[in-house]
Amino acid sequence: SNDYRVVVFGAGGVGKSSLVLRFIKGTFRESYIPTIEDTYRQVISCNKNICTLQITDTTGSHQFPAMQRLSITKGHAFILVYSVCSRQSLEELRPIWNLIKELKGQEITQIPVMLVGNKCDESAELREVTNSEGQAEAASWGVSFMETSAKTNHNVTELFQELLNMEKNR
Ligand code: GDP
Ligand code: MG
């Protein structure tokens, strides 16, 4: 079909919803509103065709296991978000990444995956994960890497654009 399904995973509070809302609506809010699970659709052009970009904003690690497996099975690309201010949030991505690899099997090498360190606007004192540590983690997983800020709009369009490019180039 012409549906391109991108699934966003990550611990609560890392900025998953903020990244999606920044990309879809161009807005940002300071308040934290926990998500159930939301899907956003946007019509885009890809490979000279019209297709629907479908972004699923998950609840992260508190997602029901059955829902998590279903999101992975149906997903074409994955954004794995941690906060650069929380090493714990990077560690919480490991089991999700392992589950994605398990469920996708051989296919995994063909699937666009981006490890994203969000909140890169935060001050140096609040940082717990450096850019090079994030890069090294992504390299060891064999996935792409980017730091973003939903707050300042740094690398947000680039993130989604890069995923679409990875899809085209495979
Ligand atoms: P989610 O649980 O992963 O969906 O996280 P949210 O998108 O709800 O964001 C959690 C909190 O982090 C909110 O208070 C946001 O305003 C804040 N936040 C999200 N992205 C950023 C960012 O890039 N920089 C900063 N400084 N705060 C952010
Ligand atoms: Mg959310």
Side-chain angles (χ1 to χ4, degrees):
S1 86
N2 278 335
D3 255 15
Y4 185 52
R5 290 188 292 272
V6 176
V7 187
V8 186
F9 283 119
V14 298
K16 297 178 298 297
S17 300
S18 299
L19 284 168
V20 175
L21 290 176
R22 173 60 93 178
F23 178 70
I24 296 283
K25 298 185 177 160
T27 58
F28 178 77
R29 52 167 197 241
E30 292 285 347
S31 56
Y32 176 36
I33 302 162
T35 317
I36 306 295
E37 179 168 302
D38 273 325
T39 294
Y40 299 85
R41 287 177 188 77
Q42 183 151 305
V43 176
I44 54 163
S45 74
C46 53
N47 297 331
K48 297 173 190 157
N49 289 312
I50 298 283
C51 74
T52 305
L53 176 63
Q54 186 176 309
I55 304 170
T56 301
D57 174 19
T58 70
T59 51
S61 20
H62 303 291
Q63 199 185 26
F64 292 109
M67 267 176 92
Q68 199 167 54
R69 297 177 88 92
L70 190 64
S71 312
I72 294 171
T73 305
K74 289 167 65 184
H76 297 125
F78 299 92
I79 299 177
L80 306 178
V81 189
Y82 66 93
S83 161
V84 300
C85 304
S86 163
R87 183 168 297 279
Q88 168 75 21
S89 72
L90 176 56
E91 275 151 24
E92 280 186 40
L93 284 175
R94 288 202 187 108
I96 296 172
W97 170 236
N98 286 333
L99 187 60
I100 293 172
K101 281 193 295 187
E102 181 194 317
L103 293 176
K104 292 300 189 187
Q106 296 276 316
E107 208 194 326
I108 192 66
T109 56
Q110 310 284 307
I111 295 173
V113 179
M114 184 75 77
L115 179 65
V116 171
N118 188 45
K119 306 198 186 186
C120 71
D121 60 281
E122 286 284 15
S123 65
E125 307 87 78
L126 288 178
R127 233 191 219 264
E128 290 187 3
V129 184
T130 66
N131 188 297
S132 39
E133 285 172 318
Q135 199 114 49
E137 186 78 21
S140 78
W141 296 5
V143 304
S144 301
F145 175 72
M146 217 178 240
E147 281 195 354
T148 60
S149 168
K151 186 171 182 171
T152 66
N153 202 15
H154 177 73
N155 266 349
V156 179
T157 311
E158 289 83 351
L159 163 62
F160 289 92
Q161 193 55 58
E162 185 60 29
L163 272 188
L164 290 168
N165 291 344
M166 286 159 81
E167 169 68 11
K168 265 186 239 167
N169 293 337
R170 74 190 172 94

